[in-house]
Amino acid sequence: MIRGGFWHFRRRNHASGAAAASAAKRILAFDMTATTSTTLALFAVAILVSLCCTTTDANDKVNFREKEKQVLDQILGPGRYDARIRPSGVNGTGKGEDNSNPTVVNVNIFLRSISKIDDYKMEYSVQLTFREQWTDERLKYNDFGGKLKYLTLTDASRVWMPDLFFSNEKEGHFHNIIMPNVYIRIFPYGSVLYSIRISLTLSCPMNLKLYPLDRQVCSLKMASYGWTTDDLVFLWKDGDPVQVVKNLHLPRFTLEKFLTDYCNSKTNTGEYSCLKVDLMFKREFSYYLIQIYIPCCMLVIVSWVSFWLDQGAVPARVSLGVTTLLTMATQTSGINASLPPVSYTKAIDVWTGVCLTFVFGALLEFALVNYASRSDMHRENMKKQRRQQYESEHALEFEFQPLVRHPGDPMAIEKLRPCEIHVPPQRDNCCRSWLSKFPTRSKRIDVISRITFPLVFAMFNLVYWSTYLFRDEGEET
């Protein structure tokens, strides 16, 4: 625009050359000065913007990481925080002598796996993530407008820790691969979160009266070791205090449900806070059905085969009875070897005891059959001897009998009278008529055993399974 105005001015005024040149120089000088000032101003603004952006990026990348160190040095530095001192209660508004409430610690756990449940040792192994959360007002700090969400520590000795222990623990260990599986988070308002992964072997007293048709309740108990309830209280976290990993598989059990509860204990030194979670396990019956019940039934049925063998086949019947008896005894001893020696009778003891009785009864039945067979043979021999003796006596009597009978001989008349035997009429009995088909007692014993043993065993199964399968839940405790 300035140059266009200059040429327009030159066309309109036809002054002298010197005046025109002087005017042109002044206008060009003004044009260059204005352009240079605008360029410098724009350049200065760009430099300021770039400096501001650089400063902001530097603050975002470096400043707040350094602030974390400053905050940690400020709240945990020497002479500032003492991990031996218990934090005061909520807001320090207690009514005790030290004007403080007990420290409240919220607990929650995450069950990662349950590796085994040992019936013999009465224990179970579990891996879990254990978490505690409490408030320590000495650890409050400035979060710089939400930039510092929390501070992370891996050394638990830097802050005060609750003296919690697992009261029914047998063995336990931490996990240190690749790094120790533990962290501590300190939040701006003084809340502390402690999380650690541990593996524990815990005792689980079991009632095996209904084994293997039983349910067992195994507890996980956590209590304070030295702080009484006046100083330290454990509470389950609101909402979902116990979490279980999905698709939890156990070899011979199923986790039906779990319940959280409190188990405070009183001793002569005071009352101590305690938490517990009860895990209810149901034993899987299919394993025991295949490994114990069906084989025992088969052994009992095999022992009945001797009832169908000939009573004269002594080696076969003896070997069958002794083999099934020894096999059943071995099966029973193997079952008891995997269980603790308890003073009461278990459901499996009833089953194996009755099956062993049936097998032993089959062996005794053969002994009875063998005795009856020998008795029958002896009776037959006696009958033969009596028949032969009777025939021989009558033969002699016939030889010496006179050929002429005297009319007045009364003895002769009595001898000629026919013998009359009065037998009372017998009622028609189907069982007696059916048994009459088997003339010997040994054969009758075998036939009766073929019916009696399976019938009694079927009745036992009916009573056994109706008793243990259709029982009330309250009978298990």
Side-chain angles (χ1 to χ4, degrees):
M1 290 177 61
I2 297 174
R3 292 186 178 181
F6 168 71
W7 292 114
H8 179 71
F9 173 79
R10 187 176 181 182
R11 285 194 301 269
R12 290 180 59 186
N13 300 296
H14 301 281
S16 60
S22 177
K25 287 179 181 181
R26 287 196 299 270
I27 293 172
L28 288 174
F30 172 76
D31 183 32
M32 292 179 64
T33 302
T35 305
T36 304
S37 300
T38 304
T39 304
L40 290 175
L42 293 174
F43 183 70
V45 171
I47 291 176
L48 290 174
V49 171
S50 62
L51 288 175
C52 291
C53 294
T54 303
T55 304
T56 303
D57 293 340
N59 288 335
D60 289 340
K61 293 180 180 179
V62 179
N63 189 34
F64 290 103
R65 301 288 77 80
E66 294 179 355
K67 287 295 182 181
E68 289 184 9
K69 178 181 180 302
Q70 295 177 5
V71 171
L72 287 174
D73 292 339
Q74 180 182 357
I75 62 177
L76 298 176
R80 297 180 179 271
Y81 184 87
D82 194 343
R84 299 172 296 176
I85 307 301
R86 176 183 64 85
S88 60
V90 179
N91 298 325
T93 57
K95 297 181 180 180
E97 295 180 356
D98 58 349
N99 194 34
S100 63
N101 282 329
T103 303
V104 177
V105 179
N106 294 305
V107 176
N108 69 95
I109 59 177
F110 175 66
L111 290 175
R112 293 184 173 272
S113 65
I114 300 175
S115 58
K116 67 175 182 177
I117 301 176
D118 195 335
D119 298 316
Y120 189 83
K121 296 182 179 179
M122 291 194 178
E123 64 184 21
Y124 71 105
S125 299
V126 61
Q127 183 185 125
L128 54 89
T129 298
F130 175 75
R131 305 185 187 97
E132 295 176 307
Q133 192 165 8
W134 66 94
T135 300
D136 193 342
E137 294 184 353
R138 298 172 294 175
L139 299 177
K140 290 183 178 180
Y141 61 89
N142 183 15
D143 61 351
F144 297 97
K147 295 294 183 179
L148 293 181
K149 294 183 179 180
Y150 55 81
L151 304 175
T152 302
L153 299 177
T154 56
D155 186 4
S157 63
R158 298 290 302 275
V159 297
W160 176 86
M161 293 291 299
D163 61 343
L164 181 141
F165 77 105
F166 297 92
S167 58
N168 60 333
E169 172 205 351
K170 286 187 175 181
E171 294 179 359
H173 67 273
F174 302 113
H175 295 266
N176 298 318
I177 299 175
I178 299 178
M179 293 292 292
N181 298 166
V182 59
Y183 69 80
I184 299 174
R185 290 179 180 176
I186 303 175
F187 295 89
Y189 48 90
S191 178
V192 181
L193 174 62
Y194 174 73
S195 178
I196 187 171
R197 186 167 72 99
I198 53 179
S199 292
L200 301 170
T201 299
L202 306 166
S203 64
C204 178
M206 299 181 182
N207 186 353
L208 300 175
K209 289 184 178 180
L210 302 178
Y211 176 91
L213 301 165
D214 57 337
R215 287 179 172 85
Q216 300 297 336
V217 178
C218 296
S219 299
L220 175 64
K221 297 181 180 180
M222 301 161 284
S224 173
Y225 188 81
W227 297 100
T228 63
T229 53
D230 295 332
D231 300 318
L232 181 63
V233 174
F234 291 110
L235 298 177
W236 286 112
K237 184 180 179 181
D238 295 334
D240 195 6
V242 178
Q243 299 173 333
V244 181
V245 66
K246 295 181 179 179
N247 301 324
L248 178 64
H249 295 289
L250 296 173
R252 285 182 290 179
F253 288 88
T254 300
L255 180 60
E256 284 191 331
K257 59 182 179 180
F258 53 88
L259 301 173
T260 56
D261 200 358
Y262 296 91
C263 54
N264 291 5
S265 60
K266 291 184 179 180
T267 64
N268 55 3
T269 57
E271 182 179 0
Y272 297 91
S273 182
C274 175
L275 303 177
K276 75 171 181 177
V277 52
D278 293 330
L279 306 174
M280 180 174 287
F281 298 101
K282 180 183 178 182
R283 198 182 299 271
E284 288 292 339
F285 180 68
S286 57
Y287 169 80
Y288 300 94
L289 180 65
I290 297 173
Q291 296 294 327
I292 296 177
Y293 285 91
I294 293 179
C296 289
C297 283
M298 294 174 65
L299 287 174
V300 172
I301 295 173
V302 168
S303 67
W304 299 341
V305 175
S306 63
F307 303 153
W308 300 87
L309 297 179
D310 186 73
Q311 57 189 3
V314 177
R317 298 188 69 163
V318 170
S319 60
L320 181 62
V322 172
T323 302
T324 53
L325 182 62
L326 292 178
T327 306
M328 191 65 214
T330 304
Q331 180 85 352
T332 303
S333 62
I335 295 170
N336 293 328
S338 61
L339 296 174
V342 294
S343 59
Y344 47 83
T345 302
K346 304 180 288 293
I348 194 66
D349 295 335
V350 176
W351 175 263
T352 55
V354 172
C355 291
L356 189 62
T357 302
F358 271 92
V359 174
F360 183 68
L363 185 60
L364 291 182
E365 189 270 347
F366 170 67
L368 182 62
V369 167
N370 186 267
Y371 173 78
S373 177
R374 288 186 286 108
S375 178
D376 291 339
M377 292 178 62
H378 179 70
R379 181 179 297 179
E380 290 294 331
N381 292 332
M382 294 296 294
K383 286 183 178 180
K384 289 181 180 179
Q385 291 179 3
R386 290 174 182 174
R387 188 180 300 111
Q388 292 175 0
Q389 184 179 0
Y390 179 78
E391 290 177 356
S392 62
E393 289 178 355
H394 280 67
L396 292 174
E397 188 176 329
F398 179 76
E399 291 178 358
F400 293 100
Q401 189 175 8
L403 298 176
V404 180
R405 183 181 65 186
H406 301 283
D409 191 1
M411 295 298 296
I413 298 173
E414 290 293 334
K415 290 181 180 179
L416 291 175
R417 290 178 180 176
C419 296
E420 296 181 0
I421 301 175
H422 298 279
V423 179
Q426 296 182 356
R427 296 181 179 179
D428 190 10
N429 194 333
C430 60
C431 294
R432 186 173 298 175
S433 61
W434 177 69
L435 289 175
S436 63
K437 298 179 181 179
F438 310 100
T440 61
R441 290 188 301 172
S442 58
K443 192 65 176 177
R444 291 177 183 177
I445 294 175
D446 272 342
V447 172
I448 294 174
S449 298
R450 295 172 189 173
I451 300 174
T452 305
F453 273 73
L455 183 61
V456 175
F457 190 70
M459 292 177 61
F460 162 71
N461 275 269
L462 181 62
V463 174
Y464 182 87
W465 296 115
S466 61
T467 301
Y468 288 105
L469 288 181
F470 303 103
R471 64 189 182 277
D472 294 333
E473 294 293 331
E475 297 179 3
E476 298 180 3
T477 58

